[in-house]
Amino acid sequence: IRGSVQNEAKAVGPQNAAGVEHGPVPDIDVVIDGDVAMQQAIMAENNALADITHTIQLAVAPVFLLTAIGTTMAVLTTRLGRVIDRARYLEAQFDGLGDVEQGRARTELTTLSRRAELIHRGLTAGVAAAIAVCLLITLAFVGYLTQTNLGAAVAVLFIVAMGLFVFSLVSFMREVVLSLDSLRFGKHAVVRAK
């Protein structure tokens, strides 16, 4: 009798004080399993959001490096323009100069050529470093989207980018030293770099 009463209660469902039915009583195991599945889905969404947020945070540091590279390249480009302008001026005036002045102009043109070469090396290294940084950022997001561990490739690209940027800065410093070495105040004074 007890079993039949419980089955009837399950089939009919609970009633309120007025005797109105509310429907069948849900199975407690189904409710618990449904809640667990919902919680797991929410946790998976939160993990995905945390992963993309972390990936974006990792991409911010290389972007600052990209900004530094761009600034250095802008300085190098300006210096290259001045070197080219000075070389064109000297070449235009060369035929009208005397023998002594032609010798000085020839020496200065040689120095300008060396400076342009150093600036060119710095610019080339800077462009290569910027490309490495862009590839680094791209790989970070590709690794996230494909759920592939590309940490080693990202680390190698970062090391390559830093090495190229250092080479660019060294070329820039060598060009500055060379320009100070050939700087003249007046007709014959030359300042030598220490």
Side-chain angles (χ1 to χ4, degrees):
I1 296 174
R2 183 179 295 173
S4 63
V5 171
Q6 287 177 345
N7 287 339
E8 287 176 16
K10 274 191 176 180
V12 172
Q15 297 177 348
N16 62 12
V20 178
E21 292 183 15
H22 291 292
V25 177
D27 190 1
I28 192 72
D29 292 336
V30 173
V31 172
I32 291 173
D33 288 344
D35 286 345
V36 170
M38 183 182 291
Q39 288 175 352
Q40 288 176 344
I42 291 170
M43 288 176 62
E45 287 179 16
N46 288 342
N47 285 341
L49 182 62
D51 287 346
I52 189 63
T53 303
H54 183 64
T55 304
I56 291 171
Q57 288 172 345
L58 290 176
V60 168
V63 168
F64 285 120
L65 177 60
L66 200 58
T67 304
I69 292 170
T71 304
T72 304
M73 290 175 58
V75 171
L76 288 172
T77 303
T78 302
R79 294 182 71 85
L80 182 61
R82 290 185 179 182
V83 166
I84 291 171
D85 289 343
R86 178 65 180 164
R88 285 180 178 163
Y89 172 79
L90 287 174
E91 287 176 348
Q93 300 294 321
F94 191 79
D95 291 334
L97 299 175
D99 292 339
V100 175
E101 291 298 321
Q102 279 186 351
R104 288 185 186 145
R106 198 173 287 114
T107 302
E108 188 174 352
L109 283 169
T110 302
T111 303
L112 290 171
S113 175
R114 180 71 180 132
R115 286 178 60 192
E117 182 182 341
L118 288 170
I119 293 170
H120 180 261
R121 287 182 187 173
L123 284 171
T124 303
V127 169
I131 290 171
V133 170
C134 291
L135 289 174
L136 180 156
I137 295 168
T138 303
L139 275 184
F141 282 99
V142 167
Y144 166 75
L145 291 174
T146 61
Q147 296 299 313
T148 307
N149 185 4
L150 298 174
V154 169
V156 167
L157 279 173
F158 188 77
I159 292 168
V160 168
M162 288 303 295
L164 289 167
F165 186 46
V166 167
F167 182 80
S168 178
L169 290 175
V170 168
S171 297
F172 173 54
M173 195 64 229
R174 289 179 64 194
E175 188 273 332
V176 169
V177 169
L178 187 59
S179 68
L180 288 174
D181 191 45
S182 62
L183 184 64
R184 290 192 290 168
F185 296 99
K187 285 190 174 181
H188 307 293
V190 177
V191 176
R192 297 286 177 191
K194 301 291 183 186

